[in-house]
Amino acid sequence: MPEQPPAERPMQTFQSPQIQFDGRQCVLTGDWILAALKPRLIRLRAWLLLHGKSTETWNLTQVRHIDTFGALILWRAWGQKPPDILLLGPQHESAFQRVRSVAGQVFPPERIDWLLPIVSIGNAALGLGSHLLDFARMLGMIVVEAARLFIEPRSIPLKEFSAALYKTGAQAMPISALVGFLIGIVLSYLSALQLRNFGADALIINILGVGIIRELGPVLVSILVAGRSGSAITAQLGVMRVTEEIDALAAMGVSVHQRLVWPKVLAMAIAMPLLVLWTSVAALAGGMLAAQMQLEIDWRFFMLSLPHVVPVQNLYIGAAKGVIFGVAIALIASHFGLRIRPNTESLSRNTTSSVVAAITAVILLDAVFAMLTRGIGVPLR
Amino acid sequence: MSPPEILVEMREVCTSLGGHWVHQNINLQVERGNLLALVGGSGAGKTTLLREMIGLQATTLGEVRLFGEGLNDGHRAARAARRRRVGFLFQQGALYSALTLFDNIAFPLREVGGLLEDEIRTLVLSKLELVELKPQHASLMPAQLSGGMIKRAALARALALEPELLLLDEPTAGLDPDRSAGFVELIRGLHASLGLTVVFVTHDLDTLSALANRVAVLAERRILAVGDLNGIRSVEHPFIQNFFRYRAAVNELPEE
Ligand SMILES: Nc1ncnc2c1ncn2[C@@H]1O[C@H](COP(=O)(O)OP(=O)(O)OP(=O)(O)O)[C@@H](O)[C@H]1O
Ligand SMILES: [Mg+2]
């Protein structure tokens, strides 16, 4: 290559590779190593394509270093065989040896599976089946483990349970209160604008009361918790799979379901209704504030009339939803966590699926709830 | 002849981890062409020292120079280029679990850019051959490999760019004796043909005596001694004497 390299990094410790060509013979000098070749690769390839096969004599004795890549690029230029006359120092033979020894080898060809489209449809269906099967199996294991804990109360994982309660419950309080409060303000403000048109100002208490306690509180908290704790459960189980901790537990005869899944399900069942209550209170407080400012409804009046216009059944429904949703989230998160294969790709895919599935499940369950409880707690006049 | 080129230089390095001093005033130089064995008890801070050499971990005090430059010298590209001159074999392999064995080894080659897929395939094949893995293993995921295969795959990845300096954390742990010997041969061959410089941590006396042309002993938070194997063995220090006492235990087994 007649080109002089541009004055590059001063730290460069290699000599740039050069080719001196006199029409019949190529004399190579410098370092034929990847780092040195890289900046000149395009030009070099073009040159070699032009002269590689037609030149008979290659003198490599003045090359300082050559690595496998350097040897490979020459080897390919020569058409996968040595040129007619090759002058090579003994210290450089091993690089060519390495290239030559893998010359015939190929990776086993990837089999093209013509049935793949059909198989993948089938797999999708079976995948659903395997999810259901795994889920059922996990439920069964949890029930069995719970039963065993009755016989053997010593092995109740109290520490794990209280840690889960703290993490999913107590630590979620600030964020759920903040979100609830803000949603309450927005909801109240928007409703107030409409209600004022009809002069039905006082109805704001009914709307907010029933809407938040029965519907918005549980769903809002569930979505927050699915994103927060659901993903954490899945990721934890997944990392434990990747680092073989799950196997270590099994090797010690400790059931994963008993030690990891069961406490989380129970903790969610207890923490969620409380969180629902807490968030509903925050949302009502936000609504009350907005009503005071927008409609000049006195907060004392708001508080006093709330119990009259919102039947207490709504509170029970809200709490029941909390329990059911919480259990659903914990089960789904654990299910996906336990399905993770030991690689990071599977970990991220399952964590995403876990959150999506949990939120979808919560909304489906909410619809079921709405149908089952349509006669309860709604004052009909 | 010009003085030997110093690839790694650690000056007065002190490291504090979790409130404990792991290293105190470590001075160590790795010259080009060294096959430097780093030995020391478990938890002596060998892994930490290797990581500090390429800046994966910061030293608390002191200075590390790699290829004659400070670890943070130069721009991002220069720092990356400097890192590429070093191959690192992690103690646990650290293969990318989401990539196949092939893609793991091809990864550093692809990072360089400008290589044809065909060339990458040949280079990966040659690296697989170096570490005695078979082409049909190439499509396996790391989780499907045995412990020894992980070690060899990780070594193949460390060798992918044929670096000038190779840092190996317990390369022969988990290999059968035959493969350990093969590994020693491999490194010796690369040392001869590529002028490779190697720093390796090992607890295996056979690997040590077969491969090292220099030995550094790390104990009591400092480098106790550096020198050739015979020189080290004659150092009067309880740790060193203990360390080498177990050598050749196999030869002394009573014959049946
Ligand atoms: N991130 C960390 N925080 C606190 N202490 C650490 C950390 N990493 C390592 N250590 C401590 O530093 C010491 C040295 O660890 P290092 O991994 O370097 O040991 P090693 O010599 O490689 O041991 P081995 O031969 O067992 O691999 C150990 O005592 C370890 O507990
Ligand atoms: Mg270590």
Side-chain angles (χ1 to χ4, degrees):
Chain A
M1 236 176 0
E3 247 268 308
Q4 270 297 317
E8 289 187 347
R9 294 168 271 137
M11 56 167 276
Q12 196 177 54
T13 54
F14 44 77
Q15 294 166 6
S16 60
Q18 305 283 333
I19 301 178
Q20 280 137 29
F21 182 55
D22 64 2
R24 286 179 36 253
Q25 171 173 300
C26 281
V27 180
L28 273 52
T29 56
D31 285 333
W32 285 71
I33 60 174
L34 180 56
L37 291 166
K38 168 79 210 313
R40 305 163 185 78
L41 210 47
I42 295 172
R43 207 184 293 257
L44 180 69
R45 275 189 213 285
W47 195 92
L48 285 174
L49 200 64
L50 220 59
H51 301 278
K53 283 187 188 147
S54 55
T55 311
E56 287 168 3
T57 308
W58 292 76
N59 183 347
L60 272 60
T61 48
Q62 294 172 44
V63 169
R64 204 170 65 134
H65 291 300
I66 186 163
D67 67 1
T68 317
F69 178 69
L72 174 64
I73 205 166
L74 290 172
W75 186 257
R76 284 165 58 92
W78 298 333
Q80 311 278 355
K81 59 175 172 49
D84 292 345
I85 301 167
L86 174 61
L87 304 172
L88 189 63
Q91 75 277 25
H92 296 150
E93 255 162 32
S94 61
F96 285 95
Q97 187 54 45
R98 280 196 291 275
V99 173
R100 210 172 313 159
S101 70
V102 295
Q105 290 183 26
V106 280
F107 290 106
E110 284 177 32
R111 268 173 288 133
I112 300 173
D113 195 354
W114 299 106
L115 289 175
L116 193 68
I118 302 172
V119 170
S120 57
I121 293 174
N123 272 344
L126 290 178
L128 187 67
S130 92
H131 268 285
L132 290 177
L133 200 66
D134 274 2
F135 194 77
R137 202 173 284 154
M138 186 185 73
L139 273 184
M141 289 301 287
I142 292 172
V143 172
V144 170
E145 291 303 333
R148 180 168 300 158
L149 290 179
F150 269 109
I151 307 167
E152 208 181 330
R154 193 183 61 82
S155 54
I156 293 179
L158 273 180
K159 266 191 195 146
E160 284 81 359
F161 169 68
S162 86
L165 198 61
Y166 177 67
K167 274 188 248 166
T168 55
Q171 289 194 329
M173 284 172 75
I175 182 70
S176 56
L178 179 69
V179 171
F181 187 74
L182 294 178
I183 292 269
I185 289 181
V186 172
L187 207 65
S188 172
Y189 174 73
L190 291 178
S191 317
L193 292 180
Q194 302 297 322
L195 289 175
R196 182 179 279 165
N197 291 341
F198 300 105
D201 290 13
L203 271 183
I204 188 96
I205 305 175
N206 307 37
I207 292 175
L208 288 183
V210 175
I212 288 175
I213 294 174
R214 185 183 175 113
E215 199 57 46
L216 200 66
V219 172
L220 196 66
V221 173
S222 298
I223 290 173
L224 271 178
V225 168
R228 221 183 142 271
S229 309
S231 62
I233 292 173
T234 308
Q236 187 195 12
L237 288 172
V239 171
M240 289 184 76
R241 165 78 67 202
V242 174
T243 56
E244 299 186 11
E245 286 171 58
I246 300 242
D247 299 332
L249 277 178
M252 292 176 198
V254 177
S255 155
V256 178
H257 296 91
Q258 181 221 49
R259 196 56 64 94
L260 298 175
V261 179
W262 189 84
K264 298 208 162 76
V265 174
L266 193 66
M268 286 280 243
I270 293 173
M272 273 290 283
L274 297 175
L275 269 182
V276 167
L277 213 65
W278 163 257
T279 310
S280 300
V281 169
L284 283 175
M288 200 159 68
L289 186 75
Q292 165 108 44
M293 294 178 27
Q294 197 68 22
L295 297 174
E296 277 135 25
I297 292 179
D298 188 52
W299 63 272
R300 275 164 296 227
F301 174 68
F302 193 109
M303 290 251 239
L304 284 176
S305 45
L306 197 60
H308 298 296
V309 297
V310 182
V312 73
Q313 286 92 333
N314 286 296
L315 205 59
Y316 303 148
I317 291 177
K321 278 184 177 178
V323 176
I324 304 271
F325 294 173
V327 170
I329 292 169
L331 287 177
I332 289 171
S334 306
H335 166 71
F336 279 96
L338 290 174
R339 278 178 68 93
I340 290 174
R341 305 281 106 228
N343 67 69
T344 47
E345 167 60 29
S346 168
L347 176 71
S348 74
R349 186 159 23 86
N350 276 290
T351 309
T352 312
S353 307
S354 155
V355 174
V356 172
I359 292 178
T360 313
V362 162
I363 289 175
L364 281 178
L365 284 173
D366 191 53
V368 173
F369 243 104
M371 282 193 293
L372 294 182
T373 60
R374 61 181 182 273
I376 307 170
V378 192
L380 300 168
R381 281 182 204 161
Chain B
M1 210 186 135
S2 57
E5 201 181 335
I6 291 171
L7 297 194
V8 184
E9 183 171 22
M10 308 192 91
R11 282 192 214 136
E12 302 289 320
V13 165
C14 304
T15 315
S16 155
L17 281 175
H20 294 280
W21 287 105
V22 178
H23 305 135
Q24 275 179 340
N25 297 326
I26 294 231
N27 288 298
L28 185 65
Q29 293 185 340
V30 181
E31 292 156 14
R32 192 180 284 283
N34 273 177
L35 294 170
L36 175 69
L38 191 58
V39 300
S42 197
K46 304 177 295 295
T47 300
T48 310
L49 201 68
L50 279 196
R51 290 169 62 86
E52 284 170 350
M53 284 184 188
I54 57 169
L56 289 181
Q57 201 164 331
T59 61
T60 312
L61 294 171
E63 197 194 4
V64 179
R65 296 183 76 78
L66 187 62
F67 301 116
E69 296 158 314
L71 286 174
N72 294 319
D73 285 3
H75 290 295
R76 195 175 168 283
R79 287 204 297 268
R82 193 159 52 226
R83 285 265 175 95
R84 277 202 202 117
R85 296 167 69 184
V86 185
F88 199 107
L89 174 71
F90 289 87
Q91 196 166 1
Q92 322 287 352
L95 294 174
Y96 303 123
S97 64
L99 302 182
T100 62
L101 176 49
F102 177 89
D103 289 324
N104 260 287
I105 302 173
F107 186 87
L109 295 165
R110 294 205 171 111
E111 280 303 292
V112 173
L115 272 66
L116 305 178
E117 199 57 26
D118 218 27
E119 293 167 348
I120 290 180
R121 221 169 297 141
T122 309
L123 290 174
V124 172
L125 269 173
S126 87
K127 296 299 171 294
L128 285 176
E129 195 181 67
L130 277 184
V131 298
E132 296 181 54
L133 287 170
K134 298 210 170 57
Q136 56 270 33
H137 294 145
S139 57
L140 295 179
M141 303 299 281
Q144 298 170 308
L145 301 176
S146 77
M149 284 163 82
I150 288 178
K151 207 91 268 175
R152 283 179 280 150
L155 180 64
R157 188 179 68 177
L159 286 172
L161 294 178
E162 299 186 16
E164 294 161 57
L165 174 65
L166 202 52
L167 306 180
L168 308 172
D169 202 348
E170 307 205 9
T172 54
L175 297 187
D176 58 55
D178 204 26
R179 291 257 161 63
S180 299
F183 167 81
V184 170
E185 278 310 301
L186 162 66
I187 297 294
R188 280 188 160 278
L190 291 174
H191 175 69
S193 65
L194 298 175
L196 200 61
T197 307
V198 185
V199 181
F200 63 104
V201 171
T202 188
H203 297 296
D204 177 22
L205 289 171
D206 290 326
T207 311
L208 178 72
S209 55
L211 191 56
N213 59 17
R214 237 178 124 218
V215 180
V217 182
L218 181 65
E220 297 172 358
R221 298 192 279 275
R222 61 199 174 86
I223 301 278
L224 276 186
V226 193
D228 65 356
L229 190 56
N230 287 328
I232 293 285
R233 289 180 70 167
S234 57
V235 172
E236 287 294 330
H237 188 280
F239 175 79
I240 295 176
Q241 290 306 318
N242 260 330
F243 192 87
F244 289 102
R245 209 178 52 212
Y246 300 106
R247 169 151 180 72
V250 175
N251 300 340
E252 290 159 14
L253 281 181
E255 306 233 338
E256 290 287 313

